Amino acid sequence: MRRGGLRRLARRKSTVAFLLTLPLIVLIAALVIYPAFYSIYLSMLNKTLERLVGLDNFRFLFTRDTFWMVVKQSCIFAITAVLFKALIGFCVAHFVHNVPAKGQRKWRGMLLIPWVIPPAMSTLGWFWLFDPSYSAFNWLFVRIGLPAVTWLGDPLWARFSVILVNVWYGAPFFLIMYLAALKSVPEQLYEAAAIDGANWWQKIWYVTLPMMRNIIAITVLFSLIVTFANFDIVRILTAGGPIDQTHVFATWAFLQGIEGGDLALGASVSLFMFPILAVAAIFILRDINRRGNEAS
Amino acid sequence: MSRRPFTRRRFLGTTAAASAATIGFPYIRTSHAAGSLALGFWDHWVPGANDTLTKLCQDWGKKEKVDVKIDYITSQGNKNMLTITAESQARSGHDILAHPAWYALTYARQLEPLDDVMNPLIKQYGKVATAAEFLCKSGGKWIAVPAVTGTQVKPPCARLDLFKQHAGIDILSMYPVNKAPTKEADNWTWETMVVAAEKLKKAGSPIGLGIGQTTDSIDWVGAMFHSFGADLVDAKGHANVKTDAVKQVLDYSKRLVAAMPPDVFAWDDASNNKYLISGQGSMIMNPPSAYAVAKRDNPKVAAQCYTFEMPKGVKGRYAPFLPFLWALWGFSKNKSAGKSLLAHLLQRENVEKLVNASIGYDIPSFESMRDFKVWQQVEPPQGAVYHYPPRGTEEAWMACAPAPASIAQQMYTQSIMTKMIAKYTQGGEPMDKVLGWAASELEGYQRS
């Protein structure tokens, strides 16, 4: 009787599915959920981690000018970088899409290189290009009669540099996602549009973009999360300097928590990303759901 | 083979009975093995320096029947800081860990008091550098011992030829080869340095002192602030930002910045080394590692590089000091063996072996140990690093001291002093605004 019950349970598809996904669930619980709750716990402790202080760490952060500067910079960094990555990815995806199928694989492979190199390594390469004293760019500038630029020493140029490297690294991800989306747009739609007399721009606006809306939204959301939480590029290029003008949440949290020995405050800074990203995710995913419902 | 734990009773019993000579070996070895010790030391820049430390520990382990396991933890990417934080949270890991400057004080509550190691050593070898004592003591107790490996000062390393030719300064007449400084060294002040810097810039070989956010920058700026009497926070934790001394040091910095390359605000700890080695720079402030690399990569430059004391300010002459400390976790299962090993490593003959292995890079915190031969032997030029260790006419100084550790660590990691200079000079912000910003930051650091 008991054996029969077990057999029935094992035969149920949902049970099998659950058992198959169990290792992953355990892995996520151990590596994501536990650390997430632990960091919430840390953020509610005092500096010496001896007593609970509730939301005092967040209250303290709200009184610090540097914290608000970091919030502003993180937003500028993430939004600007994602915007350019999306734009460049969209344009290049179109070029690659129009390359004859025979040579397309080569182009796809080459354009993906920045994305597959470990970012810490490629950022070191950029660091040498921007090097305060021996910048390769400056070497070139001086030879063509332009003044040398203090890439990482001037706040504005330093911001430009970290965004540039992030765009260079992340644009191939957009490219590959958009290319996949472009390939799934039915050719008949373009033919119908051509019969209706649509020009190139109108085809993009009325056919390509609407068909790619969901993939654009998801790609932007995904990239926004990753860019917002970026650490390596800023850490290697500027370490947040000069005068804190390039810090983002992750680098400032590291500075406070690990280097500054204030783990509780570091955890609070890193958790502050969560509500910002949650709001962005809710808006973007709601839009996708709405369109999904309209389509069905 | 039976195993007997290395007990506190065993450690204390033998130390009491032992004479000064037994300080390094403060318990009587028996035929029983005495457990194991896991050690996390700083991974030295100088090739081969780790090997000497390994040998010293292993020889001690063999003699005392302690199984010694050593990990060398790099400070690249702050891996050592991450390890300390992780072990403090997990309450497990190494028994002895190398802590950079402020870390022992930050984790003082979790560290084993080491008075029984340090007090006999002080009796034997005399005074420890004030800055090292400041970082190793909490509540009147030693909670760490000053490490040999990695402890450094960052005095000027200048080009003898360029200083003589363009600034008219004969460094050797102030700091003669392998001899104590002469009377002329009294004229080596911050004012002399900035005038020389202006001349050297005109000649196309500016001096280069980083004003970024890494240790090389923070350390020399900290020593400069202190020698102007511009301590931002006193020992009781009171902020003293809006003082004449602070205003003077900021005004002075304006002149100095104008005489240096414009990118010093973006320099990291490698930038100044590269600047000197390239032959472009006439002076940096650094341990002799830059000189050692110059010997390999640009021997002509190295042959003119001479290390000597910091310029003097109204409050004195201070060498930028950056020590490592060895601390024993409170959760260690073999504390007595740990203490015994620390006492062993700080014996003069062992310290000398470690300093020799680092080619003079490491600075002993016991002032009586600054007479090792290695500093006379490194050349060219003759006496290149003889004046590297502070010897009485100059005092080692930890940037941000004498502020209480919890505030000082924030001041240090947030590099408040270099940012003040950057805001006032590069940022062009008015003095009052810069001082107001610093006061507000310091108020934030006082959070408990």
Side-chain angles (χ1 to χ4, degrees), chain B residues 289-333:
Chain B
S289 46
Y291 161 76
V293 178
K295 262 170 97 170
R296 186 193 67 196
D297 294 350
N298 198 347
K300 274 188 186 165
V301 165
Q304 293 294 334
C305 288
Y306 200 77
T307 297
F308 55 103
E309 289 183 336
M310 287 289 283
K312 195 165 76 174
V314 285
K315 295 287 175 186
R317 198 187 294 282
Y318 295 93
F321 186 53
L322 187 63
F324 268 89
L325 318 171
W326 288 324
L328 181 64
W329 284 118
F331 56 71
S332 165
K333 299 255 181 337

Short mmCIF file of all heavy atoms in Angstrom, two decimals, chain B residues 289-333:
data_model
loop_
_atom_site.label_atom_id
_atom_site.label_comp_id
_atom_site.label_asym_id
_atom_site.label_seq_id
_atom_site.Cartn_x
_atom_site.Cartn_y
_atom_site.Cartn_z
N SER B 289 61.58 49.74 -3.01
CA SER B 289 61.14 48.83 -4.07
C SER B 289 61.25 49.49 -5.45
O SER B 289 61.62 48.83 -6.43
CB SER B 289 59.70 48.37 -3.82
OG SER B 289 58.89 49.47 -3.48
N ALA B 290 60.96 50.79 -5.51
CA ALA B 290 61.06 51.50 -6.80
C ALA B 290 62.53 51.48 -7.26
O ALA B 290 62.83 51.21 -8.43
CB ALA B 290 60.57 52.93 -6.66
N TYR B 291 63.42 51.73 -6.30
CA TYR B 291 64.85 51.71 -6.60
C TYR B 291 65.29 50.32 -7.07
O TYR B 291 66.05 50.18 -8.03
CB TYR B 291 65.62 52.15 -5.35
CG TYR B 291 67.07 51.77 -5.33
CD1 TYR B 291 68.00 52.46 -6.09
CD2 TYR B 291 67.52 50.71 -4.55
CE1 TYR B 291 69.34 52.10 -6.08
CE2 TYR B 291 68.85 50.34 -4.53
CZ TYR B 291 69.76 51.04 -5.30
OH TYR B 291 71.07 50.67 -5.28
N ALA B 292 64.77 49.28 -6.39
CA ALA B 292 65.16 47.90 -6.74
C ALA B 292 64.73 47.56 -8.17
O ALA B 292 65.48 46.93 -8.91
CB ALA B 292 64.52 46.92 -5.75
N VAL B 293 63.54 48.01 -8.55
CA VAL B 293 63.08 47.74 -9.93
C VAL B 293 63.89 48.58 -10.92
O VAL B 293 64.22 48.11 -12.01
CB VAL B 293 61.56 48.03 -10.06
CG1 VAL B 293 61.08 47.79 -11.49
CG2 VAL B 293 60.77 47.15 -9.11
N ALA B 294 64.23 49.80 -10.51
CA ALA B 294 65.06 50.64 -11.40
C ALA B 294 66.41 49.97 -11.65
O ALA B 294 66.95 50.02 -12.76
CB ALA B 294 65.26 52.02 -10.77
N LYS B 295 66.95 49.33 -10.63
CA LYS B 295 68.24 48.63 -10.80
C LYS B 295 68.15 47.57 -11.90
O LYS B 295 69.08 47.34 -12.65
CB LYS B 295 68.62 47.93 -9.48
CG LYS B 295 69.60 48.73 -8.64
CD LYS B 295 69.75 48.15 -7.28
CE LYS B 295 70.97 47.25 -7.18
NZ LYS B 295 71.22 46.88 -5.77
N ARG B 296 66.97 46.94 -11.96
CA ARG B 296 66.77 45.90 -12.97
C ARG B 296 66.42 46.51 -14.34
O ARG B 296 66.98 46.12 -15.35
CB ARG B 296 65.63 44.98 -12.50
CG ARG B 296 65.41 43.77 -13.39
CD ARG B 296 64.10 43.10 -13.04
NE ARG B 296 62.96 43.95 -13.38
CZ ARG B 296 61.72 43.77 -12.92
NH1 ARG B 296 61.46 42.78 -12.09
NH2 ARG B 296 60.74 44.58 -13.29
N ASP B 297 65.53 47.51 -14.33
CA ASP B 297 64.98 47.99 -15.60
C ASP B 297 65.69 49.21 -16.18
O ASP B 297 65.66 49.44 -17.39
CB ASP B 297 63.49 48.34 -15.43
CG ASP B 297 62.65 47.10 -15.14
OD1 ASP B 297 63.19 46.00 -15.25
OD2 ASP B 297 61.47 47.26 -14.79
N ASN B 298 66.28 50.02 -15.33
CA ASN B 298 66.95 51.23 -15.81
C ASN B 298 68.14 51.55 -14.90
O ASN B 298 68.09 52.49 -14.09
CB ASN B 298 65.94 52.40 -15.84
CG ASN B 298 66.44 53.52 -16.72
OD1 ASN B 298 67.61 53.56 -17.11
ND2 ASN B 298 65.55 54.47 -17.04
N PRO B 299 69.21 50.75 -15.01
CA PRO B 299 70.33 50.86 -14.05
C PRO B 299 70.95 52.26 -14.01
O PRO B 299 71.44 52.69 -12.96
CB PRO B 299 71.35 49.84 -14.58
CG PRO B 299 70.60 48.94 -15.49
CD PRO B 299 69.43 49.69 -16.00
N LYS B 300 70.90 52.98 -15.14
CA LYS B 300 71.50 54.33 -15.14
C LYS B 300 70.76 55.24 -14.17
O LYS B 300 71.35 56.07 -13.48
CB LYS B 300 71.43 54.93 -16.55
CG LYS B 300 72.60 54.51 -17.41
CD LYS B 300 72.57 55.27 -18.71
CE LYS B 300 73.67 54.73 -19.62
NZ LYS B 300 73.48 55.17 -21.00
N VAL B 301 69.44 55.12 -14.17
CA VAL B 301 68.62 55.91 -13.24
C VAL B 301 68.90 55.45 -11.81
O VAL B 301 69.12 56.25 -10.90
CB VAL B 301 67.12 55.78 -13.59
CG1 VAL B 301 66.24 56.27 -12.45
CG2 VAL B 301 66.80 56.56 -14.85
N ALA B 302 68.89 54.13 -11.61
CA ALA B 302 69.09 53.58 -10.25
C ALA B 302 70.41 54.06 -9.65
O ALA B 302 70.48 54.35 -8.45
CB ALA B 302 69.06 52.06 -10.30
N ALA B 303 71.43 54.18 -10.47
CA ALA B 303 72.75 54.58 -9.97
C ALA B 303 72.76 56.00 -9.39
O ALA B 303 73.71 56.41 -8.73
CB ALA B 303 73.79 54.46 -11.08
N GLN B 304 71.69 56.78 -9.68
CA GLN B 304 71.60 58.15 -9.16
C GLN B 304 70.52 58.29 -8.08
O GLN B 304 70.28 59.38 -7.58
CB GLN B 304 71.27 59.11 -10.32
CG GLN B 304 72.37 59.26 -11.35
CD GLN B 304 73.61 59.93 -10.77
OE1 GLN B 304 73.54 60.69 -9.80
NE2 GLN B 304 74.77 59.62 -11.33
N CYS B 305 69.85 57.16 -7.75
CA CYS B 305 68.73 57.25 -6.79
C CYS B 305 69.23 57.08 -5.35
O CYS B 305 69.90 56.09 -5.05
CB CYS B 305 67.69 56.18 -7.09
SG CYS B 305 66.76 56.52 -8.57
N TYR B 306 68.86 58.00 -4.50
CA TYR B 306 69.35 58.00 -3.13
C TYR B 306 68.16 58.23 -2.19
O TYR B 306 67.35 59.14 -2.41
CB TYR B 306 70.36 59.13 -2.97
CG TYR B 306 71.30 59.01 -1.80
CD1 TYR B 306 72.37 58.13 -1.83
CD2 TYR B 306 71.11 59.80 -0.67
CE1 TYR B 306 73.24 58.03 -0.75
CE2 TYR B 306 71.99 59.71 0.41
CZ TYR B 306 73.05 58.82 0.36
OH TYR B 306 73.93 58.73 1.42
N THR B 307 68.05 57.37 -1.18
CA THR B 307 66.93 57.49 -0.24
C THR B 307 67.40 58.21 1.02
O THR B 307 68.47 57.88 1.55
CB THR B 307 66.39 56.09 0.09
OG1 THR B 307 65.89 55.51 -1.11
CG2 THR B 307 65.28 56.14 1.12
N PHE B 308 66.61 59.15 1.49
CA PHE B 308 67.01 59.91 2.68
C PHE B 308 65.77 60.41 3.41
O PHE B 308 64.64 60.06 3.04
CB PHE B 308 67.93 61.08 2.29
CG PHE B 308 67.36 62.00 1.25
CD1 PHE B 308 66.85 63.24 1.60
CD2 PHE B 308 67.31 61.62 -0.08
CE1 PHE B 308 66.31 64.09 0.64
CE2 PHE B 308 66.76 62.47 -1.04
CZ PHE B 308 66.27 63.70 -0.67
N GLU B 309 66.00 61.22 4.44
CA GLU B 309 64.90 61.57 5.35
C GLU B 309 63.86 62.50 4.74
O GLU B 309 64.11 63.19 3.76
CB GLU B 309 65.48 62.24 6.61
CG GLU B 309 66.22 61.28 7.51
CD GLU B 309 66.71 61.96 8.77
OE1 GLU B 309 66.89 63.20 8.78
OE2 GLU B 309 66.92 61.25 9.76
N MET B 310 62.72 62.53 5.41
CA MET B 310 61.63 63.42 5.00
C MET B 310 62.00 64.87 5.32
O MET B 310 62.80 65.13 6.24
CB MET B 310 60.36 63.08 5.78
CG MET B 310 59.69 61.80 5.35
SD MET B 310 58.91 61.93 3.74
CE MET B 310 57.42 62.83 4.10
N PRO B 311 61.40 65.82 4.60
CA PRO B 311 61.62 67.22 4.96
C PRO B 311 61.05 67.51 6.36
O PRO B 311 60.13 66.83 6.80
CB PRO B 311 60.83 67.99 3.89
CG PRO B 311 60.50 67.02 2.84
CD PRO B 311 60.50 65.67 3.45
N LYS B 312 61.63 68.53 6.98
CA LYS B 312 61.19 68.87 8.35
C LYS B 312 60.11 69.95 8.30
O LYS B 312 60.17 70.86 7.47
CB LYS B 312 62.41 69.38 9.13
CG LYS B 312 62.18 69.44 10.63
CD LYS B 312 63.50 69.59 11.37
CE LYS B 312 64.01 71.02 11.28
NZ LYS B 312 65.21 71.24 12.11
N GLY B 313 59.15 69.85 9.20
CA GLY B 313 58.13 70.89 9.33
C GLY B 313 58.23 71.54 10.68
O GLY B 313 59.12 71.19 11.48
N VAL B 314 57.32 72.44 10.98
CA VAL B 314 57.41 73.17 12.26
C VAL B 314 57.32 72.22 13.46
O VAL B 314 57.83 72.50 14.54
CB VAL B 314 56.32 74.27 12.38
CG1 VAL B 314 56.66 75.45 11.52
CG2 VAL B 314 54.94 73.73 12.06
N LYS B 315 56.66 71.10 13.29
CA LYS B 315 56.49 70.17 14.41
C LYS B 315 57.48 69.01 14.38
O LYS B 315 57.40 68.09 15.20
CB LYS B 315 55.07 69.61 14.43
CG LYS B 315 54.01 70.64 14.69
CD LYS B 315 54.03 71.08 16.16
CE LYS B 315 53.03 72.23 16.36
NZ LYS B 315 53.09 72.78 17.70
N GLY B 316 58.33 68.96 13.39
CA GLY B 316 59.33 67.89 13.37
C GLY B 316 59.43 67.19 12.02
O GLY B 316 58.85 67.62 11.02
N ARG B 317 60.18 66.10 12.05
CA ARG B 317 60.45 65.35 10.81
C ARG B 317 59.86 63.95 10.98
O ARG B 317 60.24 63.21 11.88
CB ARG B 317 61.97 65.26 10.63
CG ARG B 317 62.43 64.91 9.24
CD ARG B 317 63.93 64.66 9.21
NE ARG B 317 64.80 65.79 9.49
CZ ARG B 317 65.10 66.77 8.64
NH1 ARG B 317 64.59 66.77 7.43
NH2 ARG B 317 65.92 67.74 8.99
N TYR B 318 58.93 63.58 10.12
CA TYR B 318 58.20 62.32 10.30
C TYR B 318 58.25 61.48 9.02
O TYR B 318 57.95 61.98 7.93
CB TYR B 318 56.75 62.59 10.69
CG TYR B 318 56.65 63.24 12.04
CD1 TYR B 318 56.60 64.64 12.15
CD2 TYR B 318 56.69 62.48 13.20
CE1 TYR B 318 56.57 65.25 13.39
CE2 TYR B 318 56.65 63.09 14.45
CZ TYR B 318 56.59 64.47 14.53
OH TYR B 318 56.57 65.08 15.76
N ALA B 319 58.62 60.21 9.19
CA ALA B 319 58.66 59.29 8.05
C ALA B 319 57.31 58.61 7.89
O ALA B 319 56.77 58.08 8.86
CB ALA B 319 59.74 58.24 8.29
N PRO B 320 56.76 58.62 6.67
CA PRO B 320 55.46 57.96 6.45
C PRO B 320 55.61 56.45 6.71
O PRO B 320 56.39 55.79 6.04
CB PRO B 320 55.16 58.21 4.97
CG PRO B 320 56.11 59.28 4.55
CD PRO B 320 57.30 59.19 5.43
N PHE B 321 54.89 55.95 7.68
CA PHE B 321 55.09 54.60 8.18
C PHE B 321 53.88 53.74 7.83
O PHE B 321 52.74 54.18 7.98
CB PHE B 321 55.23 54.70 9.71
CG PHE B 321 55.58 53.43 10.43
CD1 PHE B 321 56.67 52.67 10.05
CD2 PHE B 321 54.84 53.00 11.52
CE1 PHE B 321 57.03 51.51 10.76
CE2 PHE B 321 55.17 51.85 12.23
CZ PHE B 321 56.27 51.11 11.85
N LEU B 322 54.11 52.55 7.33
CA LEU B 322 52.99 51.64 7.03
C LEU B 322 53.36 50.25 7.52
O LEU B 322 54.01 49.49 6.83
CB LEU B 322 52.67 51.62 5.54
CG LEU B 322 51.41 50.85 5.18
CD1 LEU B 322 50.18 51.48 5.81
CD2 LEU B 322 51.22 50.78 3.68
N PRO B 323 52.95 49.93 8.73
CA PRO B 323 53.37 48.64 9.29
C PRO B 323 52.37 47.52 9.01
O PRO B 323 51.19 47.76 8.77
CB PRO B 323 53.39 48.92 10.79
CG PRO B 323 52.34 49.94 10.98
CD PRO B 323 52.21 50.73 9.70
N PHE B 324 52.87 46.32 9.04
CA PHE B 324 52.01 45.14 9.14
C PHE B 324 52.14 44.63 10.57
O PHE B 324 53.17 44.86 11.22
CB PHE B 324 52.47 44.04 8.17
CG PHE B 324 51.77 44.12 6.85
CD1 PHE B 324 52.28 44.89 5.81
CD2 PHE B 324 50.60 43.42 6.63
CE1 PHE B 324 51.64 44.96 4.59
CE2 PHE B 324 49.94 43.50 5.41
CZ PHE B 324 50.46 44.26 4.39
N LEU B 325 51.09 43.99 11.05
CA LEU B 325 51.10 43.48 12.42
C LEU B 325 50.76 41.99 12.38
O LEU B 325 50.00 41.56 11.51
CB LEU B 325 50.04 44.22 13.26
CG LEU B 325 49.95 45.73 13.05
CD1 LEU B 325 48.74 46.29 13.75
CD2 LEU B 325 51.20 46.43 13.56
N TRP B 326 51.33 41.25 13.29
CA TRP B 326 50.96 39.84 13.41
C TRP B 326 50.07 39.70 14.64
O TRP B 326 50.46 40.10 15.74
CB TRP B 326 52.21 38.96 13.58
CG TRP B 326 53.03 38.83 12.33
CD1 TRP B 326 52.58 38.77 11.06
CD2 TRP B 326 54.46 38.73 12.24
NE1 TRP B 326 53.63 38.65 10.17
CE2 TRP B 326 54.79 38.61 10.87
CE3 TRP B 326 55.49 38.72 13.18
CZ2 TRP B 326 56.10 38.50 10.42
CZ3 TRP B 326 56.80 38.61 12.72
CH2 TRP B 326 57.10 38.49 11.36
N ALA B 327 48.89 39.13 14.42
CA ALA B 327 47.95 38.99 15.53
C ALA B 327 47.47 37.55 15.63
O ALA B 327 47.42 36.83 14.64
CB ALA B 327 46.76 39.93 15.32
N LEU B 328 47.12 37.19 16.85
CA LEU B 328 46.67 35.82 17.14
C LEU B 328 45.17 35.89 17.45
O LEU B 328 44.77 36.61 18.38
CB LEU B 328 47.47 35.32 18.35
CG LEU B 328 47.23 33.92 18.87
CD1 LEU B 328 47.64 32.86 17.84
CD2 LEU B 328 48.06 33.69 20.15
N TRP B 329 44.38 35.17 16.68
CA TRP B 329 42.93 35.20 16.91
C TRP B 329 42.59 34.62 18.28
O TRP B 329 43.21 33.64 18.71
CB TRP B 329 42.19 34.39 15.85
CG TRP B 329 42.06 35.00 14.50
CD1 TRP B 329 42.57 34.51 13.34
CD2 TRP B 329 41.34 36.19 14.13
NE1 TRP B 329 42.23 35.32 12.28
CE2 TRP B 329 41.47 36.36 12.74
CE3 TRP B 329 40.61 37.14 14.84
CZ2 TRP B 329 40.90 37.42 12.03
CZ3 TRP B 329 40.03 38.21 14.13
CH2 TRP B 329 40.18 38.34 12.76
N GLY B 330 41.57 35.15 18.90
CA GLY B 330 41.09 34.61 20.18
C GLY B 330 40.54 33.20 20.03
O GLY B 330 40.50 32.44 20.98
N PHE B 331 40.10 32.87 18.80
CA PHE B 331 39.53 31.53 18.60
C PHE B 331 40.59 30.48 18.28
O PHE B 331 40.27 29.32 18.06
CB PHE B 331 38.46 31.55 17.50
CG PHE B 331 38.91 32.09 16.17
CD1 PHE B 331 39.78 31.37 15.36
CD2 PHE B 331 38.46 33.32 15.72
CE1 PHE B 331 40.20 31.86 14.14
CE2 PHE B 331 38.87 33.83 14.49
CZ PHE B 331 39.75 33.09 13.70
N SER B 332 41.86 30.90 18.26
CA SER B 332 42.93 29.93 17.96
C SER B 332 42.93 28.80 18.99
O SER B 332 42.72 29.03 20.19
CB SER B 332 44.29 30.66 17.99
OG SER B 332 45.32 29.72 18.06
N LYS B 333 43.18 27.61 18.50
CA LYS B 333 43.16 26.44 19.40
C LYS B 333 44.55 26.19 19.99
O LYS B 333 44.74 25.29 20.78
CB LYS B 333 42.73 25.19 18.62
CG LYS B 333 41.34 25.29 18.02
CD LYS B 333 40.38 24.44 18.82
CE LYS B 333 38.96 24.41 18.33
NZ LYS B 333 38.44 25.46 17.51
#
